[in-house]
Amino acid sequence: MTSAGAPAVPSYASGISEVPLLGDTIGDNLDRTATAQPDVEALVEVPTARRWTYAQLREDVDVVAMGLMRAGLGKGDRVGIWAPNMAEWTLVQYATAKIGAILVNINPAYRTHELEYVLNQAGIRMLVSAEKFKTSDYVGMIEKVRGSCPALEQVVIIGGPEWEALVESGRGGDREELARLQAALSPDDPINIQYTSGTTGFPKGATLSHHNILNNGYFVGRLCGYTAEDRVCIPVPFYHCFGMVMGNLGCTTNGSTMVIPAQGFDPEATLRAVAQERCTSLYGVPTMFIAELNHPDFASYDLSSLRTGIMAGSPCPVEVMKQVVDRMGMTEVTICYGMTETSPVSTQTRADDSVERRVSTVGRVHPHVEVKVVDPETGLTVPRGQAGELCTRGYSVMLGYWEQPDKTAESIDAARWMHTGDLAVMDSDGYLNITGRIKDMVIRGGENVYPREIEEFLYTHPDVLDAQVIGVPDIKYGEELCAWVKLRDGVEGLTAEQVREFATGKLAHYKIPRYVIVVDEFPMTVTGKVRKVEMREKSVELLDLADAAAVKNA
């Protein structure tokens, strides 16, 4: 600031809105929508051709809720869900919300090590699980860990006799008792725990309330212009906020239709679902859109119904955004930025933003939310145009990490600002660019991976003396994992294939390093800290990744 001039404009913005926040619980809000438009289609599961109107969805949700009640579950009890995208996932999501049970999302890619941790850390009383998915034998894995999970009383396998019994029991349930339970819930009650990979080797459970996720889904949908005419194709996983909040809650709060194209992402199944169901909106992380655009039969699918959609979860390449607009007809596509801990969305581009803004920024602050960019050292807000750490505050900030107040205090400050760990720049009009991360988190195809967790695991390999894991650029996934390892004396070498063999079955596939570089020393600072920035630069050179590094992102 010069002595005569005005102070620089600070990198702060608040989302002014004439549309009030919803004061409902998730159950009450679903009932409201179902009463207003009982005959509108609510849910379509394309692989099984099952369909629900809003009246039918409400009925089936109530039946599952009463089944859970009769199984002895109620407000505050934790119910785990371990399954790919399927209608039953959605039924359990809303049924638990109706009775105030806390839904714990378990990543379908988890293996025994991670499953056992989450079951115990959340104190899950009932686990609702698919029988299997892809190469995962869920039933077998549950049997392996069940004896070491004392809180786990009941396991219900979807499609199995336990599920049938739960539903049958619910059909004979007491509707007045359900209504009483539902009426006794507060929008501020915790209703969902989502695990994010932990920087200290284990995931942390971001605990979210009705108020957090109901409103975030509602405003994401409003900014996409959703009405009862909209049909949203949701190939992104339900266990993420992207699927269950921006997808499911985005639809039910705005009266739109949820379309499940497949259990897991499949580009052809997604294109087929959009064409067959005349979807108006399509979600995905950049890798999904790339796979769809590059599908050999892309041109044979009629995508003319598409109007909007969301690309999020990973840095969005500018060229991909342009192709989504030009070749898929998603002229109103938006980019969202957020994190699980903020329910998730904090900023979003708008349909009326210029094409340049919509393909090269993560948009402006969301309604009823505040954002600021601060100097990571001083905590002071930096002037617009200057890089710093992005912080966000408002209704969307989580209640905290489940039973980890110390970890919560590291992320949420005394004024309730959530520190994202992301570096950002805010321009003069309030649009944000994400320029990097303070933390070392790697985002691989929309999955958050913390190097520390992988490093801790690699230390258990008999040949590894020390390990450092970084993210390196990748054209398909945005980033891939690269492990630099120091080997024990006498060990000749270690290949990526050998590491993959060692990790398979113990770590989720997306956490297994694609590249392994054997070194004698790590680059260090004078104070003895590993220089990961330098490691990244050298890895790009050694692995010949210059083309991937050159991809421009929003």
Side-chain angles (χ1 to χ4, degrees):
M1 177 175 100
T2 61
S3 54
V9 177
S11 295
Y12 168 87
S14 64
I16 299 164
S17 177
E18 291 177 1
V19 180
L21 287 163
L22 301 173
D24 288 342
T25 60
I26 290 167
D28 286 352
N29 185 268
L30 177 65
D31 291 349
R32 215 178 290 284
T33 303
T35 302
Q37 47 178 66
D39 300 325
V40 171
E41 210 158 48
L43 177 63
V44 179
E45 187 180 62
V46 175
T48 62
R50 292 187 292 170
R51 295 171 183 274
W52 286 258
T53 62
Y54 267 97
Q56 291 165 336
L57 180 68
R58 178 186 182 177
E59 172 61 22
D60 282 4
V61 164
D62 283 355
V63 164
V64 175
M66 290 184 289
L68 293 171
M69 279 164 49
R70 294 186 80 178
L73 293 155
K75 182 177 173 180
D77 286 327
R78 271 79 69 204
V79 176
I81 177 97
W82 195 26
N85 285 17
M86 55 205 310
E88 287 79 4
W89 209 112
T90 306
L91 295 177
V92 172
Q93 175 185 345
Y94 288 88
T96 48
K98 282 234 171 191
I99 65 167
I102 300 172
L103 184 72
V104 183
N105 302 8
I106 303 175
N107 188 328
Y110 272 5
R111 291 295 184 260
T112 50
H113 176 70
E114 300 143 317
L115 173 66
E116 182 181 343
Y117 173 78
V118 166
L119 288 171
N120 284 322
Q121 206 276 331
I124 290 172
R125 286 187 61 199
M126 176 190 277
L127 175 61
V128 180
S129 172
E131 185 184 350
K132 59 182 186 296
F133 176 57
K134 292 185 177 173
T135 59
S136 296
D137 170 14
Y138 291 157
V139 173
M141 283 191 268
I142 292 164
E143 284 311 310
K144 273 185 191 165
V145 305
R146 196 167 183 174
S148 48
C149 301
L152 184 61
E153 297 162 8
Q154 303 175 67
V155 174
V156 174
I157 304 300
I158 295 168
E162 308 93 342
W163 176 260
E164 299 306 324
L166 180 87
V167 171
E168 198 49 48
S169 169
R171 286 200 182 102
D174 182 341
R175 288 179 185 275
E176 287 183 6
E177 178 60 20
L178 175 60
R180 275 195 299 275
L181 254 182
Q182 199 175 320
L185 302 178
S186 160
D188 296 319
D189 290 336
I191 202 65
N192 184 217
I193 298 175
Q194 301 204 24
Y195 279 88
T196 65
S197 278
T199 49
T200 52
F202 278 112
K204 301 188 293 274
T207 307
L208 303 166
S209 67
H210 295 266
H211 194 66
N212 286 151
I213 59 179
L214 183 76
N215 278 291
N216 205 257
Y218 176 58
F219 281 99
V220 165
R222 278 191 66 88
L223 291 186
C224 289
Y226 289 165
T227 68
E229 303 297 311
D230 282 287
R231 301 171 69 79
V232 184
C233 184
I234 311 172
V236 292
F238 286 163
Y239 76 88
H240 260 181
C241 274
F242 202 168
M244 69 164 280
V245 179
M246 298 156 73
N248 292 348
L249 285 165
C251 287
T252 59
T253 52
N254 289 288
S256 309
T257 307
M258 303 168 272
V259 177
I260 303 173
Q263 289 198 344
F265 175 64
D266 177 296
E268 187 165 16
T270 303
L271 293 167
R272 192 185 311 121
V274 169
Q276 177 187 309
E277 294 297 327
R278 307 304 293 150
C279 293
T280 57
S281 175
L282 172 61
Y283 287 4
V285 297
T287 44
M288 292 179 176
F289 284 106
I290 291 166
E292 290 150 15
L293 289 160
N294 292 330
H295 193 277
D297 296 330
F298 175 83
S300 68
Y301 291 100
D302 176 5
L303 308 180
S304 59
S305 57
L306 282 175
R307 168 182 70 80
T308 185
I310 295 172
M311 194 185 294
S314 210
C316 301
V318 171
E319 284 312 308
V320 178
M321 276 294 285
K322 286 179 176 168
Q323 284 195 50
V324 164
V325 171
D326 296 341
R327 295 179 57 207
M328 298 179 97
M330 292 168 58
T331 52
E332 297 176 25
V333 66
T334 71
I335 284 184
C336 290
Y337 163 82
M339 59 196 303
T340 305
E341 290 89 339
T342 55
S343 303
V345 176
S346 296
T347 73
Q348 187 171 350
T349 57
R350 308 322 200 242
D352 57 356
D353 284 337
S354 70
V355 172
E356 184 53 36
R357 284 245 159 88
R358 284 168 49 218
V359 300
S360 63
T361 77
V362 294
R364 290 175 284 145
V365 66
H366 232 238
H368 303 286
V369 171
E370 297 171 273
V371 292
K372 65 177 179 178
V373 180
V374 303
D375 181 321
E377 298 299 314
T378 64
L380 296 175
T381 306
V382 299
R384 294 197 178 193
Q386 191 175 315
E389 183 182 17
L390 181 60
C391 297
T392 180
R393 180 168 69 177
Y395 77 85
S396 55
V397 174
M398 66 173 179
L399 301 177
Y401 292 117
W402 183 258
E403 295 192 338
Q404 290 187 298
D406 53 330
K407 300 287 178 221
T408 304
E410 287 171 18
S411 299
I412 301 174
D413 66 26
R416 290 288 297 167
W417 283 99
M418 177 80 207
H419 290 251
T420 67
D422 285 322
L423 291 167
V425 177
M426 183 184 288
D427 72 12
S428 56
D429 294 318
Y431 289 83
L432 285 152
N433 263 91
I434 306 300
T435 57
R437 286 186 297 283
I438 295 167
K439 302 167 186 170
D440 290 323
M441 187 176 77
V442 177
I443 303 181
R444 181 196 179 276
E447 295 282 4
N448 293 357
V449 184
Y450 286 88
R452 178 71 184 274
E453 184 181 1
I454 318 305
E455 289 159 4
E456 297 280 359
F457 176 77
L458 290 174
Y459 291 144
T460 67
H461 191 290
D463 297 343
V464 173
L465 179 67
D466 200 357
Q468 293 291 330
V469 173
I470 55 168
V472 293
D474 184 78
I475 287 171
K476 183 176 180 186
Y477 291 107
E479 286 184 292
E480 269 286 8
L481 293 175
C482 174
W484 283 39
V485 295
K486 287 201 272 191
L487 300 177
R488 297 188 186 281
D489 287 344
V491 178
E492 286 300 318
L494 185 67
T495 65
E497 190 54 47
Q498 288 168 320
V499 168
R500 191 171 295 114
E501 273 178 32
F502 179 73
T504 298
K506 296 172 189 162
L507 280 186
H509 66 89
Y510 63 85
K511 296 180 185 175
I512 299 174
R514 178 169 175 189
Y515 306 106
V516 173
I517 298 172
V518 177
V519 295
D520 293 325
E521 294 298 334
F522 302 124
M524 309 286 262
T525 65
V526 288
T527 56
K529 286 184 181 168
V530 175
R531 281 186 51 77
K532 289 200 168 180
V533 173
E534 194 178 318
M535 285 170 59
R536 275 189 203 97
E537 289 166 0
K538 285 193 175 170
S539 298
V540 168
E541 198 179 310
L542 288 168
L543 302 169
D544 195 21
L545 300 174
D547 286 354
V551 175
K552 194 179 168 200
N553 295 310

